[in-house]
Amino acid sequence: MSQATPPAGVQGRHLAELDQGRFLIQRCQDCGQHIYYPREICPHCGSKAVEFVAPSGRGTVYSTTVVRRKPAEGGDYNVALVDLDEGVRLMSRVENLAPDAVQIGQRVKTRVLLKDGKGLVVCDAETGEEE
Ligand SMILES: [Zn+2]
């Protein structure tokens, strides 16, 4: 039995910010590329000059899956890979649509869902902004 300790370094910082309701990604000060999931070193150029920044929160669904669950366990839910406009991909879920109504290419906006003191990045489909 070991108590869960938060990971140290940038990943711990990321989780701590999430628990405060803030979703941050990283940006490399040398090559300008955005990074997610957080790393100590830029995967694009090897620089250590990476800083946390707030993303626009806007993105596009890259893939979507319905995870089936019994109603007693909370019912089906959606798992989506979302490409943020900053060029990073994250696993999330779309909250404001039926799980099987989420479509690839759907425009979404992220927000932080707080539950039991833990922050989770979820998305809402954007409406009325068809391209
Ligand atoms: Zn870089």
Side-chain angles (χ1 to χ4, degrees), residues 28-33 35 42-47 49-50:
C28 174
Q29 293 175 313
D30 283 328
C31 74
Q33 300 235 46
I35 303 157
C42 174
H44 304 290
C45 73
S47 170
V50 290

Side-chain angles (χ1 to χ4, degrees), residues 43-120:
H44 304 290
C45 73
S47 170
K48 290 183 178 176
V50 290
E51 60 179 348
F52 276 98
V53 295
S56 67
R58 292 171 188 275
T60 304
V61 174
Y62 171 79
S63 76
T64 175
T65 307
V66 178
V67 178
R68 302 287 177 190
R69 263 191 324 194
K70 293 173 184 161
E73 294 166 354
D76 296 347
Y77 66 99
N78 171 266
V79 175
L81 287 176
V82 173
D83 286 337
L84 293 186
D85 291 352
E86 284 80 5
V88 298
R89 184 168 293 165
L90 72 146
M91 185 177 288
S92 184
R93 67 173 192 242
V94 180
E95 286 269 290
N96 66 338
L97 292 178
D100 59 1
V102 182
Q103 298 195 337
I104 291 169
Q106 174 88 54
R107 291 290 291 168
V108 295
K109 191 163 193 332
T110 61
R111 65 182 161 87
V112 178
L113 183 72
L114 285 171
K115 190 181 179 192
D116 302 328
K118 289 287 172 192
L120 179 73

